[in-house]
Amino acid sequence: MDERTPVNIPDKVENQSKSKIRNLKGSWALLIGILAAAFTLYYLYTAKFGIHSPQASRGFYVGLTYILVLLLYPASKKAPRDRIPWYDLLLALLAALVTGYFVVEWPQIVQRIGVPSSSDLVLGAVAVLLTLEVSRRAMGNVMTFLGVMFVLYAFLGPYLPGILAHKGYTLKRFLSFQYTSFNGIYGVVSQIFATYVFLFLIFGTFLEKSGAARFFIEFPYAFAGRLRGGPAKLAVLASGVMGSISGSAVANVLTTGTFTIPLMKRIGYRPHVAAAIETAASTGGQIMPPLMGAGAFLIAEFTGRTYWDVVVVSFIPALLYYFSVYMMVDLEAAKEGLKGLSKEELPDPWQILRRGWFYFLPVVLIIGLLMTGYTPAVAGFWGTMATIFLGLVNPYHRFGLKEIWKGCSEAAIRSLPVGATVGIIGIIIGVTQLTGLGLKFSDIVVSLSGGILLLALILITLASYVLGMGLTVTSSYIILAILAAPALKELGVPLLAAHLIIFWVSQDANLTPPVCLAAFAAASVAKSEPMKTGWTAWMFGRGLYIPPLLMAYSPAFLLNGTPAEFLVVTASAALGIVAFSSGFVNYLHRRMAVWERVLVFLAGGLLVVPGIETDLLGAALFLALWTFQGGPQALLGRVTAASRTA
């Protein structure tokens, strides 16, 4: 491409990944479209007018998810992809039977609690088997294997050694707990997903269809494009916005990365570095308020706090993470001598804002409703309605009733990979409650750490890393929240901080090899080597580990202190991030000698460790290095050049 040719953002930014689902046409496609759209419309209705009953809300969510997964996801690679075979229709009918029985029979099930009927047990066994199969099809073998291990653990307790042993449970007791109660398959996770998470997935789908994806990429691009490494900084800014909406790092990569990665390569970033920057930026979307993927809803439910409480305390930590990625991008660009794009290559930001300012309104509406006390479900409903209205009246990207119908169908289908985990996580949580495994795991963590909080954090981070090799971030968080949060609480960490720490460290699964799906997705766009991309993404995303340390050791960081304490902790952490970033990139105002890198890492560590003495010492050390490298002279030169230009 000619350097003087203006860069055009594609009219349609979309996920270019190969779909795992069937490509159906004709009557099959119509059937799936009607079922998926009805799924979405039902939960939009309940968000506004209230649920009919807890069993209906949970049961229909799990049941409709199972039916759609069984119809859309082939049982094997050899299974037909252009039609639905008879055995999948049979399994879908069984899923409908299991769901219908649970919802309709619930009043009688409650009356005979603890004494299940033969029908309860037979359908309970079918429900467990369907849960494992749905997980296998949508999520792969790892999640299913983990579920099977927990099922076996419920029965094999008497034969296990030491602290893992328990009395064991009969098949009757296991099936009764998992199917005919609100503790297993239809437990708290199904409630959260049906009541909150699905609503915001619907909102995100319609926001993207309304043209917001283009606007949220184009607007920061117009401002950041001229800076050194401008396209990489665009990736940081745009991915933060889009990730908060999509709630998926992989989807974020494949939405913004299809635009930002080629631009980064164009100005001189090596392919694996461009892909790594997009991965690190996209990973932060799930920790960025106000939506935070499913995290904010889950944390609020598990801690008994409001959704707004979680969002407020998460905002500054998320900004610090993005600041860390931004600093590494800036220093990498300076080290490699990379420039931004010319003014002629960039669109007019004010024209972009004039054409798309209203895309901020649905998000502002949601925040306003949450701040005034409305439930997340109601806020999500009205945010979705506002987005649909914008789509109907937007002269630049208008869609009609046909697009609304497609949006309803698409939202339900997009939710399937997330919803497919609900039942199996319910089984895992149910077994944990039955056997007391959560307390035992907590004892193990406390014992192995010797009561030292830092070692406990390292152990939990390692556990999240292992789980993240085969589970989604949300699944990994829920399992560790049940198993590890009690350990952190026992070591003196407040409950909300404990859950936020676990949620944060669970994000590393997206960018830490050997299994890092977001990095692999970015590598496919950049045409770079996947593992090299993964390790580079891990370097750019190392700021992910700093906020959890502050959450554990500095209560003021989560607004549990005076404003002065909060400002000191945040400022020292920000300066520590600058120090760490320069050390990782090996550049401050020039490349550093080995001894300089050692000292800059030491300065970063002192700044991050809580305490006014360590903060002052770290700041003094970093300032000395900055001065030694010629920082003041470089800053004076930039100020002088800027004044001359003005």
Side-chain angles (χ1 to χ4, degrees):
M1 182 183 290
D2 193 327
E3 289 297 324
R4 294 168 295 178
T5 303
V7 178
N8 295 316
I9 294 177
D11 288 329
K12 188 175 183 181
V13 183
E14 58 184 9
N15 189 329
Q16 297 181 0
S17 65
K18 293 182 179 180
S19 176
K20 294 169 59 178
I21 66 176
R22 289 187 168 104
N23 182 23
L24 301 174
K25 297 179 180 179
S27 56
W28 288 122
L30 179 62
L31 170 66
I32 294 297
I34 292 173
L35 187 60
F39 188 3
T40 296
L41 291 171
Y42 174 77
Y43 283 96
L44 281 173
Y45 175 87
T46 60
K48 177 63 176 69
F49 299 103
I51 63 174
H52 298 101
S53 63
Q55 66 270 23
S57 178
R58 301 180 188 205
F60 288 149
Y61 181 80
V62 173
L64 287 168
T65 297
Y66 284 16
I67 291 169
L68 286 172
V69 168
L70 293 167
L71 295 178
L72 282 174
Y73 286 76
S76 67
K77 293 181 179 179
K78 297 181 180 180
R81 301 180 68 89
D82 59 347
R83 60 183 174 84
I84 303 174
W86 66 267
Y87 52 84
D88 281 347
L89 287 173
L90 177 60
L91 290 176
L93 289 173
L94 283 175
L97 174 62
V98 165
T99 300
Y101 181 87
F102 174 81
V103 173
V104 174
E105 191 71 10
W106 179 255
Q108 286 69 42
I109 289 174
V110 173
Q111 291 181 8
R112 59 176 180 264
I113 191 166
V115 188
S117 67
S118 299
S119 299
D120 295 344
L121 296 177
V122 171
L123 291 177
V126 173
V128 170
L129 293 174
L130 285 175
T131 297
L132 295 172
E133 174 62 7
V134 165
S135 171
R136 184 189 70 82
R137 293 194 186 193
M139 299 303 301
N141 294 327
V142 175
M143 187 75 174
T144 309
F145 176 78
L146 188 63
V148 170
M149 290 298 99
F150 271 83
V151 171
L152 293 176
Y153 181 70
F155 301 120
L156 301 179
Y159 309 102
L160 296 175
I163 195 172
L164 293 176
H166 61 86
K167 66 178 183 179
Y169 292 90
T170 64
L171 181 62
K172 179 179 178 180
R173 173 68 172 137
F174 173 79
L175 294 176
S176 175
F177 195 83
Q178 295 289 353
Y179 178 64
T180 62
S181 75
F182 283 162
N183 298 304
I185 294 171
Y186 304 104
V188 65
V189 177
S190 66
Q191 173 199 341
I192 297 169
F193 277 62
T195 308
Y196 306 129
V197 176
F198 187 36
L199 262 296
F200 281 88
L201 286 173
I202 297 170
F203 167 70
T205 299
F206 277 105
L207 196 62
E208 287 187 31
K209 291 186 75 66
S210 69
R214 175 185 172 90
F215 171 74
F216 287 133
I217 294 174
E218 200 174 45
F219 187 57
Y221 166 61
F223 283 102
R226 297 187 66 185
L227 303 174
R228 67 185 182 192
K233 292 172 180 176
L234 160 66
V236 177
L237 297 173
S239 296
V241 177
M242 289 305 301
S244 179
I245 295 170
S246 71
S248 166
V250 175
N252 200 358
V253 164
L254 293 168
T255 301
T256 60
T258 52
F259 171 65
T260 60
I261 290 174
L263 275 180
M264 283 189 269
K265 291 171 63 178
R266 176 183 170 183
I267 68 165
Y269 281 100
R270 290 165 291 175
H272 72 280
V273 175
I277 291 170
E278 179 59 48
T279 301
S282 295
T283 295
Q286 288 184 284
I287 55 179
M288 174 59 73
L291 302 186
M292 297 173 63
F297 309 110
L298 292 165
I299 295 169
E301 186 70 27
F302 286 142
T303 60
R305 304 289 289 270
T306 67
Y307 170 86
W308 190 245
D309 287 341
V310 177
V311 167
V312 168
V313 300
S314 299
F315 187 67
I316 295 300
L319 286 183
L320 281 179
Y321 172 73
Y322 272 101
F323 177 65
S324 72
V325 179
Y326 186 93
M327 285 305 307
M328 293 189 71
V329 163
D330 182 67
L331 292 169
E332 178 74 17
K335 183 177 76 171
E336 300 295 335
L338 303 178
K339 306 297 182 183
L341 300 170
S342 67
K343 183 179 180 180
E344 291 72 24
E345 294 176 293
L346 298 172
D348 180 1
W350 304 116
Q351 183 179 4
I352 296 170
L353 184 62
R354 181 179 59 82
R355 292 167 59 106
W357 62 269
F358 44 80
Y359 287 122
F360 290 111
L361 294 179
V363 179
V364 172
L365 176 62
I366 286 176
I367 295 173
L369 290 172
L370 292 171
M371 290 180 67
T372 52
Y374 286 90
T375 66
V378 172
F381 171 82
W382 285 116
T384 302
M385 293 300 104
T387 304
I388 292 173
F389 176 76
L390 290 179
L392 292 172
V393 302
N394 181 3
Y396 305 110
H397 196 98
R398 181 173 294 170
F399 58 77
L401 295 178
K402 183 179 180 180
E403 285 72 24
I404 294 174
W405 179 260
K406 287 182 178 179
C408 289
S409 176
E410 185 179 325
I413 294 171
R414 280 189 181 190
S415 76
L416 296 181
V418 177
T421 66
V422 167
I424 203 159
I425 291 174
I427 290 176
I428 291 171
I429 293 174
V431 171
T432 301
Q433 292 175 341
L434 267 178
T435 61
L437 180 62
L439 294 176
K440 294 175 183 179
F441 187 89
S442 176
D443 289 341
I444 292 172
V445 170
V446 173
S447 176
L448 289 176
S449 67
I452 300 172
L453 179 56
L454 181 60
L455 291 180
L457 292 174
I458 293 172
L459 290 173
I460 291 170
T461 301
L462 290 174
S464 76
Y465 170 63
V466 173
L467 286 175
M469 292 182 187
L471 308 185
T472 64
V473 168
T474 301
S475 303
S476 178
Y477 160 70
I478 293 172
I479 292 170
L480 281 175
I482 299 298
L483 297 177
L488 292 177
K489 189 176 179 183
E490 186 175 339
L491 292 172
V493 179
L495 183 61
L496 178 58
H499 280 267
L500 284 170
I501 289 168
I502 293 168
F503 182 65
W504 272 70
V505 298
S506 296
Q507 307 299 322
D508 66 358
N510 284 312
L511 44 74
T512 308
V515 181
C516 41
L517 295 182
F520 292 167
S524 70
V525 177
K527 297 179 174 59
S528 61
E529 201 279 311
M531 291 303 295
K532 190 174 184 180
T533 299
W535 287 116
T536 309
W538 182 64
M539 184 193 76
F540 277 100
R542 285 177 185 175
L544 190 67
Y545 305 108
I546 293 176
L549 287 173
L550 298 174
M551 293 171 188
Y553 287 100
S554 300
F557 188 60
L558 294 179
L559 306 179
N560 292 322
T562 66
E565 291 173 332
F566 170 76
L567 290 174
V568 169
V569 171
T570 304
S572 64
L575 188 57
I577 284 171
V578 176
F580 278 129
S581 298
S582 62
F584 289 135
V585 177
N586 188 21
Y587 190 89
L588 188 52
H589 288 287
R590 56 174 172 76
R591 293 177 186 268
M592 291 184 283
V594 173
W595 67 268
E596 289 176 308
R597 293 187 75 184
V598 171
L599 289 180
V600 84
F601 278 127
L602 176 60
L606 289 170
L607 284 161
V608 170
V609 171
I612 190 65
E613 296 85 1
T614 54
D615 289 345
L616 291 174
L617 183 58
L621 181 56
F622 181 74
L623 181 62
L625 282 169
W626 181 68
T627 303
F628 179 77
Q629 282 226 331
Q633 297 92 321
L635 179 61
L636 180 61
R638 286 198 294 268
V639 171
T640 302
S643 63
R644 287 175 179 172
T645 303

